[in-house]
Amino acid sequence: MAQVSFNDQGLVAAIVQQWDTREVLMLGWMDAEALRRTLTEGRVTFWSRSRQEYWRKGDTSGHIQLVRGARLDCDGDTVLLQVEQIGAACHTGTRTCFDTVDLEPAVTDATA
């Protein structure tokens, strides 16, 4: 935890990924307590910026995230949580939050 670089609001971004398929499921925010709970309890807990309270994924929906691994990125400002997702990950009821609109990036020649 000492290596985590929290932002000015005391939060760190947490990317949630299905542990076996590597499918990216969602992004949430954690403060130090949410991260501690996640790592010690084995269930993902986030800090809700809108409600200003902790929420453990699945407590109301039943769509839980069981922690299978966790790591920091090279800067320490993003956590990657590898989970076993049971049910939908997205609040809309879909498997992933990243199943909506594909953006159209410009394709450039990397050798130019």
Side-chain angles (χ1 to χ4, degrees):
M1 279 261 251
Q3 297 94 343
V4 179
S5 179
F6 294 96
N7 68 17
D8 293 342
Q9 291 80 42
L11 301 173
V12 65
I15 298 169
V16 181
Q17 178 184 54
Q18 176 65 32
W19 74 277
D20 54 352
T21 65
R22 306 291 191 235
E23 176 185 26
V24 177
L25 301 173
M26 61 176 289
L27 172 98
W29 293 93
M30 296 180 159
D31 66 2
E33 177 61 17
L35 182 56
R36 184 198 66 76
R37 291 180 190 185
T38 296
L39 297 176
T40 60
E41 297 174 3
R43 293 257 319 265
V44 179
T45 298
F46 296 103
W47 174 253
S48 171
R49 296 175 299 163
S50 60
R51 295 189 312 264
Q52 295 289 294
E53 66 184 18
Y54 296 103
W55 58 281
R56 191 168 68 165
K57 187 69 174 168
D59 278 353
T60 56
S61 68
H63 301 161
I64 65 174
Q65 294 173 338
L66 302 172
V67 179
R68 297 292 180 242
R71 62 178 50 204
L72 286 174
D73 75 341
C74 59
D75 298 319
D77 63 359
T78 305
V79 176
L80 176 63
L81 296 173
Q82 296 166 325
V83 304
E84 180 179 340
Q85 178 68 50
I86 299 174
C90 189
H91 71 280
T92 64
T94 59
R95 169 92 181 142
T96 174
C97 293
F98 295 97
D99 64 351
T100 58
V101 177
D102 287 335
L103 301 176
E104 301 294 329
V107 179
T108 61
D109 183 356
T111 60

